[in-house]
Amino acid sequence: MPAHLLSIPAVAAALDVDRRTVYRFIAAGDLPVVDLRTGTERSRVRVPAAGLEEFIARRLVGSPRPRRGPLAPSPALTASE
């Protein structure tokens, strides 16, 4: 089955970034591309959907630790009790 390919504007929209940022990710080797060049024309690149999913998965971070609110006891106060 052929890979589903995404245009640069589609990738930018999916990541909520500018197209230039997508090109920077590509230049850094963070996003794979398929070059659909036809002859001497300017290259036309597409990002495989699976490559975008892997890119996102590599950049996932764990849940942020809950912030202590103003009513939460301070560790220093708890230790002295």
Side-chain angles (χ1 to χ4, degrees):
M1 182 167 84
H4 183 72
L5 302 175
L6 303 169
S7 67
I8 299 303
V11 173
L15 296 175
D16 193 24
V17 298
D18 190 78
R19 289 185 319 176
R20 290 173 293 190
T21 302
V22 174
Y23 283 114
R24 283 194 291 271
F25 290 145
I26 292 167
D30 293 333
L31 268 176
V33 294
V34 174
D35 191 346
L36 302 174
R37 185 183 325 244
T38 56
T40 59
E41 289 183 34
R42 187 172 62 162
S43 68
R44 201 175 271 232
V45 296
R46 297 291 184 265
V47 176
L52 177 60
E53 290 172 13
E54 290 170 12
F55 172 81
I56 292 170
R58 284 193 311 268
R59 290 179 171 258
L60 283 178
V61 294
S63 300
R65 285 192 265 171
R67 293 178 138 185
R68 288 191 305 207
L71 301 177
S74 159
L77 292 176
T78 309
S80 64
E81 292 179 16

